[in-house]
Each structure stands twice: as C-alpha cells, then as structure tokens.
Amino acid sequence: MRFEPGPSSTSGAAPGGALGGTPDQGEDAGRATHDPAVRDFLATFSAFMETANEQAQRQRTDAGPSVADVLREHLGTDPRSIAVVTETVSALRSVDADVAIEAVVACHGGGRVVGVGGGEQRMHTSLSEIVEHSALWRQFPVGAVDYARAATGPESERRTVSFGLHLFAYAGTPVALLQRAANPRHGDEGSVEVMCPQEDAALSLLAELRAAMVEHSVLRGQVVTFTASDYGAQAGGMTFLRRDRVPATDVVLPDGTLSRIERQVLGVARHRTELLAAGQHLKRGVLLYGPPGTGKTHTVRHLVGESPGTTVIVLAGGALRLVRLAAETARALQPAIIVLEDCDLIAEDRSFHDGPQPLLFEVLDAMDGLGSDSDVAFVLTTNRADLLERALAQRPGRVDLAVEIPLPDASARLRLFELYRGDLPFTSGALADAADRTDGVTASFVKEVVRRAVLRAVEAGHDVGDEDLRSAVHEMTADAERITRSLLGSSPDLLDDGSLEP
C-alpha cells in the first residue's frame, strides 16, 4: 500500500531564463529581437500557437467531461486536493480483485463504472496524475471501460474490468476506485487506487476488499498451476487444472506405501480439529522419491482427486521460483496442498535466486514460514533424493515423511499389466509371462508395452491377442530399444545388460 499526495493545482511551469547559454549567446538573442522581421515572425508564431491551443482545448471540451470533472461532481470537492491510497494486486489475483470489488460495491448500495480515455499513456499514469492532467489540459476524457476475459475454473470464465473507475459510496462517503489490471510485459503489477475525502474510509475500504478477495477467491478449492513471467521474477499467469479422480486401485505401490502417504497428506486434513485440540501442528511435508516413471506423479494425482474442496497449487520448472507466492496463497485459502515437482532439478540451481543459496533453500524457507496451525501440505517429488538429502538434513522439520516409490517387483508388474490391459483380451498366462520377462522396468514402460501390442495388431489387421503382447515385450526389451527404456525410466542394470530375454 502506498499514499500519493493530491495533485498540485499549479501549472508547474518552469521559471524563465536561459538554460545553459553563454553571455554572448544571450546578447546575440537580444539583438535578434530588434530585427523587425524576427519580431513579426515571433508574433505570428505566438498567435498560431495560441490559436492551436484554444482549438485543442475546444475539441477536448466538445468531446465531453474529463475525469477530473466527473470526480469533482462525485466527490463534491476538487479531486486534486485528495490523496490517493494505492494497493498492488498480483496478476494471479486480478480475478479475485474484480469479484471482491463487485461484492463490496454491491454491499454498499451499488455504483457505476466509467472508463478513462487518453490512449496508451493512461496505462502508465497514476490516478493522481490522470486527475492533474485532465484538470489542467483535459488530457484524459471519460471514455469506455476496458474489459478482459479471465478464467475462473477449468471450463468457466468471467468478464473483468481491466481499466475502469468505480464511483460509489462507502459508509456514506463518496469514493472513487481505479481498477487496473497487471501488465507483465511492462513489468507493471495490477492495482486498486482509492480516492476518498476521508482517508480512514479509504483504508477501511481496502481492508474490506482484502477480506473479500479471500472469501470470494476463485482459486479456493481449485487445482491451479502458476507460470513464471518471461519479463521478470514475478508471476506471469495461472492455469486451472481438472481434478480427475484416480482410484486407489489404480495406484500400484508396495503394500502399505499408499496408506502411509494418505495418512500424512489427507488424514491430517480430515482430523484437523482433533489434532489442533490436542496441541498438534497441521503443516506437513512429504517427499516422494524414486526413479522416473515409477508413479510419483500418478500418486500425486490420486491425492489431489481424493481431496475435494482443497486448494491445490502445482509448481514445476521455472515456476518453482514462485514458491513464496504459492505459500502465501495457500495460507489464505487453506486447506491447501502445494505440489513441487522434480525438486532435484533445482537442488543446485542458482539462476532464479539473488542470494548465495540455491533455489532449493528458498523452497525450504517458504515451507518453514507457515504457521504450525496452517492446514497446508507440501508434496515434493524427486528422481534424485541424494541431491536433496543434505539440504533437508540442514533444515530439519520441513519434511515429515520421505517415501520411496520404487521400481515395481514381479507382483506389482502383474498388477500394472492387468490395470493397463483394461478390456483387452489378454489371458492371465500371457500377462504373467510378460510380468516375469520385464524385471527392472517402470509403470510407464508397462503402459507402453500394452499400447505397442495394440498397435502391432492394428497394423497386422487382426484383433489384439497374446502373441501381440509377447512380441511387444520382446521388441521393447531388445537391445535396439535401450534408449527407449532409458527414457521410460528402466533400471540401470537393465540398461547395462541389454536384452531381458532369458
């Protein structure tokens, strides 16, 4: 929040006198003004400029009232004498701000919205400057309101005010509020700028708006991912994701593994009241580690699907730099889950951090910054727990549970083949044989084997069967597919030995 003094009512004209000229140059100019031709030219030019200014002023007046005119009528006083109170709004909360403004204005009897003309310059001009310039030179006439479309969910959107002046009464006091959307391209955050004859009323209004942004937030209970801006370290945008349900039967892990994870992430949320009453903290951190393709992300999808009503924020890649913003948002909209994917990629990354510590430590600090009673779960995934172990040991208490998501054993591989088989007519014997011949592969590998079996059958022009499954297993475990196995996360032993054939 910042305060700007009311615009000055003076023109601000610069004092007369030469700027940087020498005495000789001044004497030459003085002699030139005694030349009749020069005097005639100056008189003509002065008359021309005066006429041009009068014409421009007349055109602006004919165009309608200026912003200053409208504000003077609404506020009942010269708006240039009123201070402006400003609060920034991040690009991620612009829709929340629009919803909150609408709710607060309606709660206090309603009002109207007017636009501000003046071209692109108005986007970079504060409300106090707009008032000043429109009062002196009628530079900013009243115009059309600028609107934009913004998502409010995976399949819904809302028309929001991107640049408009709200005129209404707050607690019996006239108020003008300029709503301005963020412009990441120019490094500009969004803002609301309040002009009110009573400063206390302006501060109270902003406090009510902040509370309404939390209460009516379109992020509450949603699954979202933040994106980093290409123009700086701030947030660039947000995408709503579907909350698809992944049944526990579709999560193939060693016995007891999923229940341990669910107890820590979901169980704490279900029993928050009892835990708080017993003096126990709610904030928790869970680390899922293991080779690529073993089911870490699949497990996270299950947790998200089983937590309806919980706000979920997913950060990956460059968006991990926004972890502090995610933590602040989660605290406001709890219960919440923050998913930090592939944290090993930032364990030694200093490119997104201004200080001497890698970004990972900023992630751990954000986890520690939440209060113990915050119902926020951090779920971290990594392919390289060894890169995180030292940092986690140096900052104890951030992660309460570390769970390995290993390569599937023979029993788990059979369950995976049965899961991905779906309605395909593979026999139990063929599935068991495929599981026996694929030691050291991942869940992603099994899924691809089944797809290739179907593809081979389609290309051959017959219904898929056991022989197609055997051929797909043989093809994918052959030495020629060594790189494919690597990309699907197979074990190092399998990569060294080549074929899995007995």
Side-chain angles (χ1 to χ4, degrees), residues 88-109:
T88 58
V89 178
S90 76
L92 304 179
R93 305 298 303 277
S94 60
V95 181
D96 287 349
D98 188 80
V99 173
I101 291 171
E102 181 181 274
V104 170
V105 171
C107 181
H108 290 273

Side-chain angles (χ1 to χ4, degrees), residues 2 64 103 193 221 229 260 266 301 332 348 363 420 461 472 490:
R2 69 175 187 271
E193 300 171 72
S229 172
R260 292 170 60 207
L266 306 179
R301 291 197 185 103
E348 300 296 334
V363 170
Y420 294 132
S490 298

Side-chain angles (χ1 to χ4, degrees), residues 263-273 275 284 310 335 375:
R263 184 184 305 114
Q264 191 72 359
V265 177
L266 306 179
V268 171
R270 293 191 187 110
H271 305 295
R272 66 175 69 90
T273 302
L275 287 169
R284 63 264 190 212
T310 298
D375 188 0

